[in-house]
Amino acid sequence: MKNGLNETQLLKQHEAIKKINEKFTKQGKKFKVLHGCETNILNDGSVDIKDEVLEKLDYVIAGVHSSLKMEKKEMMTRIEKAMKNKNIDILAHPTGRIVGQRDEYQN
C-alpha cells in the first residue's frame, strides 16, 4: 500500500506501544493500547508483512489493494489463502467495491 509501514517501522511502533502499556499497568490503569495494521494480500495470497512481525500484533487486517481484475476463481483462491494465515484476523473490503468509485471483483 502506498505510504504503508514496513516491518522495521511496525516493530519500532510495537515497542513504543509496549512501553505505553507498561506505564499504564504500573499506574494501575485498566487501559490498553492495541497494536494492529492492515496488510496487502498479494497475488499469490501471501501478505506483504512477514508473519514474524504480524504475530506480535494484537490484530491484523488484510485486504486486496492491487490486481483487482483477476478472474473470479483466482481471486477467491488468493483471498482464501490469506484468510488461512493464522495471523490474519479481519478481511477488509471483501467484495473490493467502493461505492461510487470502484466495482466489485470479477464475477
Side-chain angles (χ1 to χ4, degrees), residues 68-83:
L68 302 174
K69 300 209 183 269
M70 286 182 135
E71 292 295 323
K72 182 179 181 178
K73 186 175 179 179
E74 286 180 285
M75 184 64 81
M76 193 64 214
T77 300
R78 176 184 185 182
I79 292 171
E80 283 177 0
K81 180 178 177 185
M83 290 173 59

